[in-house]
Amino acid sequence: MSPITTAPTTPSTPTTPSGQATAPLDVITVEVVRSALESLAEQMTDTMERTSYSLLLKEGKDCSSSIFDVSGRLIAEGANIPVHLNALGPCLRAMLAEHIPASAMKPGDIILTNDPFVGGSVGAHHTSDFIVYHPIFLGDRLVGFSTIFAHLAGSGGNDPEGWHTSIFEEGLRIPPIKLFTEGVLDEQLFKLILANTNAPYEQRGDILGQVAGAKVGANGFLALVEKYGLAVIDEAIDSQIAYAERRTRAYIGQISDGEYHAETTLLEDGSMCGPVKLALTVIVAGDEITFDFAGTDASVAGPINCPMSATISACLFGLLALLPSDIPKNEGSANPVHIEAPVGSLVNPRFPAAVYQRMAVTHQIVDLVFEALAPAVPHAVVANSCGMVYCVASAINRETHPTGGDVSGRRGWGNGAGPSVGGLGARATRDGLNGMPGWITNVASTSVESSEVEGPVRYLRKELRPGSAGPGRTRGGLGVILSWQALGHDVRFSHTSQRSVNPPQGLFGGGHGLGSRWVINEGTATEQVVANQAGPTLDLEYGDTVTFYAPGGGGYGEPWQRDPQLVERDLRLGYIDAEAARSQYGVETDAAGRVDDTATLALRTTGHP
C-alpha cells in the first residue's frame, strides 16, 4: 500500500510558466488577485443556483465551484459543500492523464463527467454528482480551468436512495466527454443523457445552469488576465500557494510527532451488511501529516462505499477545519498531506462497487480525524456530530400536482430541512449548533413550504428535539424532529441514518447525544418503529406518516463544569428539563426555573442536594 499524495509539490520561489524566476509581487497585488479569484468562484456558484431548475440546487444549493491553473493546481474555491471541494483536482488530473489530454482541448470546449471510477475512484462521488470542466483559453493558449460540481436531480437510477449493490443500479455513468466542442453543444450526446433520467426537464435546466456558471468563471479569469497580465496572475497564484503551504506546514509542525488512532463502526445495528469497521491512524512527522486507513474493512455489497475522491475531501476538510481560518484554501494547504487507503476497501473501492450513499463514510471520517487528534490539539477539535441522514420519498398524485414530476408523474421530497440535519458536536469554547447539516455537507435547509409545493406531502413537525444534546461544559447541538404525511399514491420511502446504536460521542468527559430512530404512523394503531437504520425502499400508503428523530451532537468537557447560567438558559429555552439540569449538570433550580445557587453549590460539592 503506497501513499496517495493529494497534490504535486509546489515551488517556494515564484516563477513564470517558462520556469524563470521573477521578483516577488507586492503583497497588496497578491491579496487583490486572491480575493478576486475567490469571489469569482462564489459568483460561479451563485450563477448555478440562480439558473437551475431543481429544488436541490435552487434552494438546497448543493453545488460547489473551483478554479485551477493550467497544471491542475487548485487556486480558488467557493465556500460551498466541503465534500465536493478538494475532489475536483484529483479528477481533473486523472482526466488529463487518461481521457482528454490538454493537447486535445480547444477554446469553447466544455467537458462533463459523473463517473466515480475515473482514475481508479477519484471521479465524481456518485452518479448524481455532475462535474463540468471549462478549459480557459487565452487566444489559443490553455491557461486554466473553471469547474462546477453539482448534485443533479433524477440521476441516481430508478431508486436513488435505495440499497444498491453495484454501480450499475445507480444510473448512467458518463466518463469525461466533451458536451460542447469549440462552443457547439453535442445535441445527440445531450439527448442520450436526458433519455436516461426520470426528470429530463429539471436535469436539462440544471446542466445548462452548470455550464453557465463555468462560463462565468472562465470569463472572469480572462478579465483578470486582461487587467493584470498573465505573468502577474501566475506570480500571484504561485505566491498564494507557497504561502498557504508554509502556514499549513507551520501548523502541522506544532503538533507532537506520533501516531493517533480512532475507529468506529457503520451500520452498527447490524442492518444490511453491517457492522462495518472504519479505522484511521493519523501520522504526524515533522511538518507533514498522513491519514492511513489500514484496518478498515473491505468494500461492501451496498451503496455506502466511499470513492477515493470523497475520502480525500473528508480528510482534507478534517485538517483544514483545524487550521487558522485566514490560511488560503488552495493547493498549498494540501501539499503536506498524504492519504493511504487500501485499494478495495470501504474508503477506496474497486469498480463496480455501489457508492451512492458514500456520505455515510465521509461524515464518520471527519469525526475520526477529530477524535484521533483530540489528545494532540484538544482546543481545536469537535465532538461527534449527527452523521449522515438520507430520507427520500416520492408519490404520484395528479390532483395536487397535475403536471407530475418525472416522466411517470412521480414527485419526490426529502428531509424537509436539508440532508444530514441534526446536532453538531461541541468544541472547547462553543456549544454545538442545533439542527444543522453535518460538517461535510453544508447544504442549505430547504423550506417546508417549497417541499410541499414540489411534492404531494404535508409536513407535520419540524422542530428541535429536546434533551437530545450531549451534556458537557459546552453541550452538543440539538437534533431535530421531522414528520411528514404522504398525500400521494404508490408511495416509496428510502432511508438511511447513522448514530442509532452508537450515538454521537463526547470528548474529554462530555456526554453523548441521543441516537436516531424512524417511526411510521407514530401514535396510531399501525405505528411501526423501523427496525434498521438503513434498508431497502419501503412501500407506504396514502396518508401514512414518517417521523424521524435526528441525533444530537456530543458534548465537550465535564457537564458539571458548565456555567449554571447557561444551564438555566437551556432550561428556559426548553432544550433540557429540570431533571436533566440536576442529574446531568448538577444544577438545582427553583419553581420558576432560576438557578438556586446555594443548592447548586452543595450538589456540585458533595454530589447530593
Side-chain angles (χ1 to χ4, degrees), residues 65 92 273 381 553 568 577 594:
S65 303
L92 172 60
C273 51
V381 295
E568 179 184 307
D577 57 22
R594 293 185 294 264

Side-chain angles (χ1 to χ4, degrees), residues 225-264:
V225 170
E226 182 178 358
K227 181 176 182 179
Y228 292 100
L230 184 59
V232 170
I233 297 297
D234 283 339
E235 288 187 31
I237 290 170
D238 285 339
S239 177
Q240 279 297 318
I241 289 175
Y243 172 72
E245 181 170 347
R246 288 195 303 272
R247 291 284 309 278
T248 302
R249 288 186 181 278
Y251 181 88
I252 296 171
Q254 296 175 17
I255 303 174
S256 298
D257 285 2
E259 297 187 3
Y260 304 91
H261 185 78
E263 63 181 55
T264 190

Side-chain angles (χ1 to χ4, degrees), residues 10-15 17 22 25-26 29-35 37-38 67-76 136 143-145 221 224-225 229-246 328 330-332 335:
T10 311
S12 58
T13 301
T15 62
T22 62
L25 289 176
D26 64 278
T29 300
V30 172
E31 283 299 297
V32 167
V33 171
R34 178 181 70 84
S35 297
L37 289 170
E38 291 178 354
I67 303 173
F68 295 85
D69 71 3
V70 68
S71 65
R73 298 183 304 172
L74 176 66
I75 58 178
I136 304 172
V143 293
F145 300 89
F221 187 86
L224 285 174
V225 170
L230 184 59
V232 170
I233 297 297
D234 283 339
E235 288 187 31
I237 290 170
D238 285 339
S239 177
Q240 279 297 318
I241 289 175
Y243 172 72
E245 181 170 347
R246 288 195 303 272
N330 58 38
E331 203 74 40
N335 281 341

Side-chain angles (χ1 to χ4, degrees), residues 287-303:
D287 61 1
E288 299 207 342
I289 191 167
T290 298
F291 298 93
D292 187 350
F293 289 91
T296 294
D297 282 348
S299 60
V300 299

